[in-house]
mmCIF file of all heavy atoms in Angstrom:
data_model
loop_
_atom_site.group_PDB
_atom_site.id
_atom_site.type_symbol
_atom_site.label_atom_id
_atom_site.label_comp_id
_atom_site.label_asym_id
_atom_site.label_seq_id
_atom_site.Cartn_x
_atom_site.Cartn_y
_atom_site.Cartn_z
ATOM 1 N N ASP A 119 -31.686 -13.754 66.055
ATOM 2 C CA ASP A 119 -31.038 -14.282 67.261
ATOM 3 C C ASP A 119 -29.997 -13.305 67.802
ATOM 4 O O ASP A 119 -29.960 -13.042 68.996
ATOM 5 C CB ASP A 119 -30.413 -15.626 66.927
ATOM 6 C CG ASP A 119 -31.460 -16.704 66.705
ATOM 7 O OD1 ASP A 119 -32.592 -16.515 67.057
ATOM 8 O OD2 ASP A 119 -31.099 -17.718 66.083
ATOM 9 N N ARG A 120 -29.195 -12.740 66.910
ATOM 10 C CA ARG A 120 -28.190 -11.772 67.347
ATOM 11 C C ARG A 120 -28.802 -10.519 67.996
ATOM 12 O O ARG A 120 -28.385 -10.054 69.051
ATOM 13 C CB ARG A 120 -27.306 -11.345 66.154
ATOM 14 C CG ARG A 120 -26.198 -12.319 65.903
ATOM 15 C CD ARG A 120 -25.133 -11.659 64.947
ATOM 16 N NE ARG A 120 -24.530 -10.476 65.484
ATOM 17 C CZ ARG A 120 -23.665 -9.674 64.949
ATOM 18 N NH1 ARG A 120 -23.313 -10.009 63.638
ATOM 19 N NH2 ARG A 120 -23.107 -8.680 65.492
ATOM 20 N N LEU A 121 -29.783 -10.054 67.371
ATOM 21 C CA LEU A 121 -30.457 -8.807 67.898
ATOM 22 C C LEU A 121 -31.086 -9.146 69.233
ATOM 23 O O LEU A 121 -31.059 -8.339 70.156
ATOM 24 C CB LEU A 121 -31.475 -8.361 66.945
ATOM 25 C CG LEU A 121 -32.284 -7.070 67.348
ATOM 26 C CD1 LEU A 121 -31.313 -5.855 67.590
ATOM 27 C CD2 LEU A 121 -33.360 -6.608 66.348
ATOM 28 N N ARG A 122 -31.707 -10.302 69.386
ATOM 29 C CA ARG A 122 -32.375 -10.644 70.631
ATOM 30 C C ARG A 122 -31.378 -10.678 71.800
ATOM 31 O O ARG A 122 -31.648 -10.251 72.907
ATOM 32 C CB ARG A 122 -33.103 -11.976 70.482
ATOM 33 C CG ARG A 122 -33.831 -12.402 71.751
ATOM 34 C CD ARG A 122 -34.506 -13.749 71.581
ATOM 35 N NE ARG A 122 -35.589 -13.710 70.638
ATOM 36 C CZ ARG A 122 -35.575 -14.318 69.375
ATOM 37 N NH1 ARG A 122 -34.578 -14.938 69.018
ATOM 38 N NH2 ARG A 122 -36.648 -14.194 68.656
ATOM 39 N N GLU A 123 -30.179 -11.168 71.456
ATOM 40 C CA GLU A 123 -29.112 -11.312 72.469
ATOM 41 C C GLU A 123 -28.327 -10.077 72.672
ATOM 42 O O GLU A 123 -28.045 -9.738 73.893
ATOM 43 C CB GLU A 123 -28.144 -12.473 72.089
ATOM 44 C CG GLU A 123 -27.000 -12.727 73.076
ATOM 45 C CD GLU A 123 -26.093 -13.828 72.596
ATOM 46 O OE1 GLU A 123 -26.408 -14.501 71.640
ATOM 47 O OE2 GLU A 123 -24.974 -13.964 73.218
ATOM 48 N N GLU A 124 -27.999 -9.362 71.622
ATOM 49 C CA GLU A 124 -27.020 -8.210 71.712
ATOM 50 C C GLU A 124 -27.739 -6.886 71.878
ATOM 51 O O GLU A 124 -27.137 -5.944 72.279
ATOM 52 C CB GLU A 124 -26.108 -8.167 70.563
ATOM 53 C CG GLU A 124 -25.260 -9.457 70.403
ATOM 54 C CD GLU A 124 -24.462 -9.477 69.167
ATOM 55 O OE1 GLU A 124 -24.282 -8.335 68.562
ATOM 56 O OE2 GLU A 124 -23.891 -10.505 68.725
ATOM 57 N N ARG A 125 -29.037 -6.817 71.481
ATOM 58 C CA ARG A 125 -29.886 -5.667 71.515
ATOM 59 C C ARG A 125 -29.525 -4.558 70.557
ATOM 60 O O ARG A 125 -30.271 -3.735 70.175
ATOM 61 C CB ARG A 125 -29.932 -5.039 72.986
ATOM 62 C CG ARG A 125 -30.668 -5.935 73.946
ATOM 63 C CD ARG A 125 -30.958 -5.202 75.216
ATOM 64 N NE ARG A 125 -31.829 -6.122 76.099
ATOM 65 C CZ ARG A 125 -33.138 -6.047 76.142
ATOM 66 N NH1 ARG A 125 -33.761 -5.095 75.407
ATOM 67 N NH2 ARG A 125 -33.799 -6.859 76.903
ATOM 68 N N VAL A 126 -28.222 -4.522 70.077
ATOM 69 C CA VAL A 126 -27.782 -3.604 69.038
ATOM 70 C C VAL A 126 -27.023 -4.349 67.995
ATOM 71 O O VAL A 126 -26.139 -5.083 68.350
ATOM 72 C CB VAL A 126 -26.913 -2.469 69.609
ATOM 73 C CG1 VAL A 126 -26.442 -1.527 68.535
ATOM 74 C CG2 VAL A 126 -27.648 -1.704 70.757
ATOM 75 N N ILE A 127 -27.378 -4.192 66.730
ATOM 76 C CA ILE A 127 -26.665 -4.769 65.668
ATOM 77 C C ILE A 127 -26.414 -3.718 64.529
ATOM 78 O O ILE A 127 -27.233 -2.822 64.445
ATOM 79 C CB ILE A 127 -27.265 -6.102 65.064
ATOM 80 C CG1 ILE A 127 -28.619 -5.784 64.397
ATOM 81 C CG2 ILE A 127 -27.300 -7.099 66.022
ATOM 82 C CD1 ILE A 127 -29.144 -6.957 63.611
ATOM 83 N N VAL A 128 -25.322 -3.785 63.846
ATOM 84 C CA VAL A 128 -24.989 -2.912 62.769
ATOM 85 C C VAL A 128 -25.178 -3.737 61.447
ATOM 86 O O VAL A 128 -24.355 -4.603 61.168
ATOM 87 C CB VAL A 128 -23.586 -2.338 62.852
ATOM 88 C CG1 VAL A 128 -23.358 -1.364 61.682
ATOM 89 C CG2 VAL A 128 -23.402 -1.580 64.179
ATOM 90 N N LEU A 129 -26.208 -3.395 60.689
ATOM 91 C CA LEU A 129 -26.564 -4.211 59.490
ATOM 92 C C LEU A 129 -25.881 -3.562 58.355
ATOM 93 O O LEU A 129 -26.006 -2.341 58.047
ATOM 94 C CB LEU A 129 -28.066 -4.126 59.312
ATOM 95 C CG LEU A 129 -28.653 -5.264 58.466
ATOM 96 C CD1 LEU A 129 -28.454 -6.602 59.129
ATOM 97 C CD2 LEU A 129 -30.202 -4.978 58.424
ATOM 98 N N THR A 130 -25.072 -4.308 57.629
ATOM 99 C CA THR A 130 -24.351 -3.818 56.469
ATOM 100 C C THR A 130 -24.660 -4.544 55.248
ATOM 101 O O THR A 130 -24.995 -5.738 55.272
ATOM 102 C CB THR A 130 -22.867 -3.780 56.701
ATOM 103 O OG1 THR A 130 -22.170 -3.179 55.643
ATOM 104 C CG2 THR A 130 -22.312 -5.240 56.818
ATOM 105 N N GLY A 131 -24.589 -3.951 54.033
ATOM 106 C CA GLY A 131 -24.855 -4.603 52.807
ATOM 107 C C GLY A 131 -24.807 -3.634 51.635
ATOM 108 O O GLY A 131 -24.512 -2.424 51.825
ATOM 109 N N ASP A 132 -25.035 -4.147 50.478
ATOM 110 C CA ASP A 132 -25.017 -3.353 49.289
ATOM 111 C C ASP A 132 -26.234 -2.335 49.211
ATOM 112 O O ASP A 132 -27.205 -2.615 49.907
ATOM 113 C CB ASP A 132 -25.041 -4.217 47.997
ATOM 114 C CG ASP A 132 -23.825 -5.105 47.892
ATOM 115 O OD1 ASP A 132 -22.846 -4.780 48.566
ATOM 116 O OD2 ASP A 132 -23.900 -6.027 47.179
ATOM 117 N N PRO A 133 -26.137 -1.300 48.482
ATOM 118 C CA PRO A 133 -27.228 -0.354 48.316
ATOM 119 C C PRO A 133 -28.427 -1.042 47.712
ATOM 120 O O PRO A 133 -28.288 -1.927 46.898
ATOM 121 C CB PRO A 133 -26.667 0.739 47.431
ATOM 122 C CG PRO A 133 -25.222 0.660 47.542
ATOM 123 C CD PRO A 133 -24.912 -0.824 47.741
ATOM 124 N N PHE A 134 -29.628 -0.557 48.131
ATOM 125 C CA PHE A 134 -30.902 -1.116 47.538
ATOM 126 C C PHE A 134 -30.983 -2.581 47.594
ATOM 127 O O PHE A 134 -31.497 -3.209 46.669
ATOM 128 C CB PHE A 134 -30.923 -0.656 46.083
ATOM 129 C CG PHE A 134 -30.859 0.892 45.921
ATOM 130 C CD1 PHE A 134 -29.741 1.405 45.313
ATOM 131 C CD2 PHE A 134 -31.830 1.704 46.400
ATOM 132 C CE1 PHE A 134 -29.616 2.782 45.117
ATOM 133 C CE2 PHE A 134 -31.709 3.110 46.290
ATOM 134 C CZ PHE A 134 -30.635 3.615 45.677
ATOM 135 N N THR A 135 -30.644 -3.204 48.714
ATOM 136 C CA THR A 135 -30.891 -4.593 48.884
ATOM 137 C C THR A 135 -31.909 -4.850 50.045
ATOM 138 O O THR A 135 -32.067 -5.993 50.463
ATOM 139 C CB THR A 135 -29.568 -5.311 49.348
ATOM 140 O OG1 THR A 135 -28.909 -4.639 50.463
ATOM 141 C CG2 THR A 135 -28.536 -5.346 48.176
ATOM 142 N N GLY A 136 -32.644 -3.763 50.462
ATOM 143 C CA GLY A 136 -33.628 -3.984 51.473
ATOM 144 C C GLY A 136 -33.132 -3.944 52.898
ATOM 145 O O GLY A 136 -33.769 -4.466 53.800
ATOM 146 N N ARG A 137 -31.898 -3.282 53.143
ATOM 147 C CA ARG A 137 -31.459 -3.237 54.540
ATOM 148 C C ARG A 137 -32.403 -2.559 55.494
ATOM 149 O O ARG A 137 -32.592 -3.013 56.621
ATOM 150 C CB ARG A 137 -30.096 -2.518 54.526
ATOM 151 C CG ARG A 137 -28.964 -3.224 53.892
ATOM 152 C CD ARG A 137 -27.702 -2.354 53.816
ATOM 153 N NE ARG A 137 -27.961 -1.226 52.976
ATOM 154 C CZ ARG A 137 -27.327 -0.121 53.011
ATOM 155 N NH1 ARG A 137 -26.344 0.099 53.806
ATOM 156 N NH2 ARG A 137 -27.610 0.879 52.136
ATOM 157 N N ARG A 138 -33.067 -1.478 55.028
ATOM 158 C CA ARG A 138 -33.960 -0.785 55.955
ATOM 159 C C ARG A 138 -35.146 -1.632 56.272
ATOM 160 O O ARG A 138 -35.596 -1.676 57.390
ATOM 161 C CB ARG A 138 -34.404 0.519 55.224
ATOM 162 C CG ARG A 138 -35.256 1.460 56.185
ATOM 163 C CD ARG A 138 -35.633 2.771 55.410
ATOM 164 N NE ARG A 138 -36.171 3.695 56.357
ATOM 165 C CZ ARG A 138 -37.472 3.869 56.577
ATOM 166 N NH1 ARG A 138 -38.281 2.990 55.958
ATOM 167 N NH2 ARG A 138 -37.949 4.724 57.351
ATOM 168 N N THR A 139 -35.705 -2.260 55.207
ATOM 169 C CA THR A 139 -36.835 -3.153 55.447
ATOM 170 C C THR A 139 -36.473 -4.258 56.376
ATOM 171 O O THR A 139 -37.263 -4.625 57.325
ATOM 172 C CB THR A 139 -37.356 -3.704 54.119
ATOM 173 O OG1 THR A 139 -37.788 -2.575 53.305
ATOM 174 C CG2 THR A 139 -38.548 -4.636 54.329
ATOM 175 N N ALA A 140 -35.311 -4.912 56.227
ATOM 176 C CA ALA A 140 -34.815 -5.929 57.036
ATOM 177 C C ALA A 140 -34.745 -5.461 58.461
ATOM 178 O O ALA A 140 -35.090 -6.126 59.450
ATOM 179 C CB ALA A 140 -33.522 -6.484 56.576
ATOM 180 N N ALA A 141 -34.233 -4.242 58.720
ATOM 181 C CA ALA A 141 -34.035 -3.719 60.060
ATOM 182 C C ALA A 141 -35.413 -3.548 60.700
ATOM 183 O O ALA A 141 -35.603 -3.924 61.870
ATOM 184 C CB ALA A 141 -33.303 -2.357 59.984
ATOM 185 N N LEU A 142 -36.402 -2.962 60.003
ATOM 186 C CA LEU A 142 -37.779 -2.782 60.543
ATOM 187 C C LEU A 142 -38.403 -4.183 60.908
ATOM 188 O O LEU A 142 -39.058 -4.301 61.902
ATOM 189 C CB LEU A 142 -38.558 -2.025 59.605
ATOM 190 C CG LEU A 142 -38.092 -0.574 59.392
ATOM 191 C CD1 LEU A 142 -38.933 0.063 58.299
ATOM 192 C CD2 LEU A 142 -38.334 0.246 60.681
ATOM 193 N N MET A 143 -38.117 -5.187 60.018
ATOM 194 C CA MET A 143 -38.784 -6.445 60.242
ATOM 195 C C MET A 143 -38.134 -7.190 61.365
ATOM 196 O O MET A 143 -38.761 -7.945 62.121
ATOM 197 C CB MET A 143 -38.693 -7.275 58.984
ATOM 198 C CG MET A 143 -39.563 -6.794 57.847
ATOM 199 S SD MET A 143 -41.382 -6.790 58.337
ATOM 200 C CE MET A 143 -41.648 -5.091 58.892
ATOM 201 N N LEU A 144 -36.805 -7.006 61.617
ATOM 202 C CA LEU A 144 -36.143 -7.557 62.808
ATOM 203 C C LEU A 144 -36.853 -7.025 64.073
ATOM 204 O O LEU A 144 -37.155 -7.827 65.006
ATOM 205 C CB LEU A 144 -34.710 -7.291 62.791
ATOM 206 C CG LEU A 144 -33.796 -8.031 61.754
ATOM 207 C CD1 LEU A 144 -32.497 -7.435 61.603
ATOM 208 C CD2 LEU A 144 -33.734 -9.506 62.138
ATOM 209 N N LEU A 145 -37.039 -5.790 64.108
ATOM 210 C CA LEU A 145 -37.673 -5.173 65.315
ATOM 211 C C LEU A 145 -39.140 -5.596 65.460
ATOM 212 O O LEU A 145 -39.654 -5.889 66.571
ATOM 213 C CB LEU A 145 -37.546 -3.630 65.244
ATOM 214 C CG LEU A 145 -36.161 -3.058 65.254
ATOM 215 C CD1 LEU A 145 -36.146 -1.630 64.902
ATOM 216 C CD2 LEU A 145 -35.558 -3.267 66.668
ATOM 217 N N HIS A 146 -39.818 -5.678 64.329
ATOM 218 C CA HIS A 146 -41.178 -6.027 64.335
ATOM 219 C C HIS A 146 -41.384 -7.537 64.795
ATOM 220 O O HIS A 146 -42.287 -7.821 65.637
ATOM 221 C CB HIS A 146 -41.825 -5.825 62.950
ATOM 222 C CG HIS A 146 -43.290 -6.189 62.887
ATOM 223 N ND1 HIS A 146 -43.765 -7.475 62.487
ATOM 224 C CD2 HIS A 146 -44.443 -5.418 63.088
ATOM 225 C CE1 HIS A 146 -45.076 -7.475 62.435
ATOM 226 N NE2 HIS A 146 -45.505 -6.247 62.848
ATOM 227 N N ARG A 147 -40.464 -8.406 64.230
ATOM 228 C CA ARG A 147 -40.648 -9.787 64.668
ATOM 229 C C ARG A 147 -40.270 -10.026 66.172
ATOM 230 O O ARG A 147 -40.885 -10.929 66.757
ATOM 231 C CB ARG A 147 -39.637 -10.600 63.759
ATOM 232 C CG ARG A 147 -39.766 -12.111 63.950
ATOM 233 C CD ARG A 147 -41.024 -12.586 63.225
ATOM 234 N NE ARG A 147 -41.023 -12.378 61.835
ATOM 235 C CZ ARG A 147 -40.488 -13.171 60.917
ATOM 236 N NH1 ARG A 147 -39.870 -14.298 61.324
ATOM 237 N NH2 ARG A 147 -40.553 -12.824 59.587
ATOM 238 N N LEU A 148 -39.421 -9.204 66.671
ATOM 239 C CA LEU A 148 -39.115 -9.293 68.131
ATOM 240 C C LEU A 148 -40.256 -8.722 69.014
ATOM 241 O O LEU A 148 -40.233 -8.827 70.219
ATOM 242 C CB LEU A 148 -37.873 -8.541 68.459
ATOM 243 C CG LEU A 148 -36.465 -9.285 68.230
ATOM 244 C CD1 LEU A 148 -35.361 -8.380 68.641
ATOM 245 C CD2 LEU A 148 -36.485 -10.552 69.080
ATOM 246 N N GLY A 149 -41.141 -8.015 68.358
ATOM 247 C CA GLY A 149 -42.212 -7.364 69.090
ATOM 248 C C GLY A 149 -41.758 -6.038 69.736
ATOM 249 O O GLY A 149 -42.306 -5.514 70.686
ATOM 250 N N ALA A 150 -40.600 -5.455 69.162
ATOM 251 C CA ALA A 150 -40.053 -4.247 69.738
ATOM 252 C C ALA A 150 -40.764 -3.041 69.131
ATOM 253 O O ALA A 150 -40.199 -2.266 68.285
ATOM 254 C CB ALA A 150 -38.492 -4.180 69.447
ATOM 255 N N THR A 151 -41.993 -2.880 69.463
ATOM 256 C CA THR A 151 -42.740 -1.729 68.950
ATOM 257 C C THR A 151 -43.294 -0.962 70.134
ATOM 258 O O THR A 151 -43.450 -1.412 71.230
ATOM 259 C CB THR A 151 -43.986 -2.310 68.089
ATOM 260 O OG1 THR A 151 -44.756 -3.205 68.966
ATOM 261 C CG2 THR A 151 -43.496 -2.983 66.870
ATOM 262 N N PRO A 152 -43.573 0.324 69.937
ATOM 263 C CA PRO A 152 -43.420 1.009 68.631
ATOM 264 C C PRO A 152 -41.972 1.228 68.195
ATOM 265 O O PRO A 152 -41.087 1.094 69.009
ATOM 266 C CB PRO A 152 -44.131 2.456 68.938
ATOM 267 C CG PRO A 152 -43.947 2.603 70.393
ATOM 268 C CD PRO A 152 -44.078 1.228 71.011
ATOM 269 N N VAL A 153 -41.778 1.489 66.902
ATOM 270 C CA VAL A 153 -40.425 1.618 66.347
ATOM 271 C C VAL A 153 -40.307 3.108 65.979
ATOM 272 O O VAL A 153 -41.089 3.769 65.337
ATOM 273 C CB VAL A 153 -40.260 0.788 65.123
ATOM 274 C CG1 VAL A 153 -38.904 1.000 64.430
ATOM 275 C CG2 VAL A 153 -40.455 -0.717 65.429
ATOM 276 N N ARG A 154 -39.084 3.695 66.374
ATOM 277 C CA ARG A 154 -38.832 5.028 66.102
ATOM 278 C C ARG A 154 -37.574 5.120 65.161
ATOM 279 O O ARG A 154 -36.577 4.535 65.432
ATOM 280 C CB ARG A 154 -38.609 5.827 67.424
ATOM 281 C CG ARG A 154 -38.340 7.344 67.157
ATOM 282 C CD ARG A 154 -38.243 8.056 68.560
ATOM 283 N NE ARG A 154 -38.007 9.473 68.215
ATOM 284 C CZ ARG A 154 -39.017 10.319 68.005
ATOM 285 N NH1 ARG A 154 -40.237 9.853 67.976
ATOM 286 N NH2 ARG A 154 -38.790 11.637 67.854
ATOM 287 N N ALA A 155 -37.758 5.896 64.084
ATOM 288 C CA ALA A 155 -36.625 6.178 63.188
ATOM 289 C C ALA A 155 -35.811 7.340 63.743
ATOM 290 O O ALA A 155 -36.330 8.362 64.129
ATOM 291 C CB ALA A 155 -37.136 6.490 61.820
ATOM 292 N N LEU A 156 -34.469 7.151 63.777
ATOM 293 C CA LEU A 156 -33.528 8.168 64.306
ATOM 294 C C LEU A 156 -32.959 8.959 63.177
ATOM 295 O O LEU A 156 -32.724 8.490 62.075
ATOM 296 C CB LEU A 156 -32.503 7.524 65.158
ATOM 297 C CG LEU A 156 -33.017 6.668 66.281
ATOM 298 C CD1 LEU A 156 -31.789 5.938 67.006
ATOM 299 C CD2 LEU A 156 -33.767 7.428 67.296
ATOM 300 N N ASP A 157 -32.550 10.253 63.524
ATOM 301 C CA ASP A 157 -31.880 11.086 62.520
ATOM 302 C C ASP A 157 -30.535 10.598 62.237
ATOM 303 O O ASP A 157 -29.686 10.377 63.108
ATOM 304 C CB ASP A 157 -31.846 12.533 63.106
ATOM 305 C CG ASP A 157 -31.354 13.559 62.138
ATOM 306 O OD1 ASP A 157 -30.942 13.143 61.088
ATOM 307 O OD2 ASP A 157 -31.419 14.715 62.533
ATOM 308 N N ARG A 158 -30.229 10.393 60.937
ATOM 309 C CA ARG A 158 -28.903 9.835 60.511
ATOM 310 C C ARG A 158 -27.819 10.862 60.722
ATOM 311 O O ARG A 158 -26.641 10.459 60.566
ATOM 312 C CB ARG A 158 -29.044 9.319 59.126
ATOM 313 C CG ARG A 158 -29.167 10.475 58.056
ATOM 314 C CD ARG A 158 -29.283 9.898 56.665
ATOM 315 N NE ARG A 158 -28.022 9.308 56.202
ATOM 316 C CZ ARG A 158 -26.985 9.929 55.656
ATOM 317 N NH1 ARG A 158 -27.091 11.253 55.399
ATOM 318 N NH2 ARG A 158 -25.930 9.293 55.298
#
Side-chain angles (χ1 to χ4, degrees):
D119 290 340
R120 276 193 62 182
L121 181 59
R122 183 181 291 114
E123 180 181 349
E124 299 175 16
R125 291 194 175 263
V126 178
I127 63 172
V128 180
L129 203 60
T130 184
D132 296 342
F134 304 111
T135 53
R137 287 172 298 159
R138 184 175 192 273
T139 299
L142 293 171
M143 289 301 94
L144 286 168
L145 295 169
H146 181 268
R147 188 72 62 87
L148 276 181
T151 56
V153 176
R154 183 174 184 80
L156 304 176
D157 186 351
R158 68 180 295 269

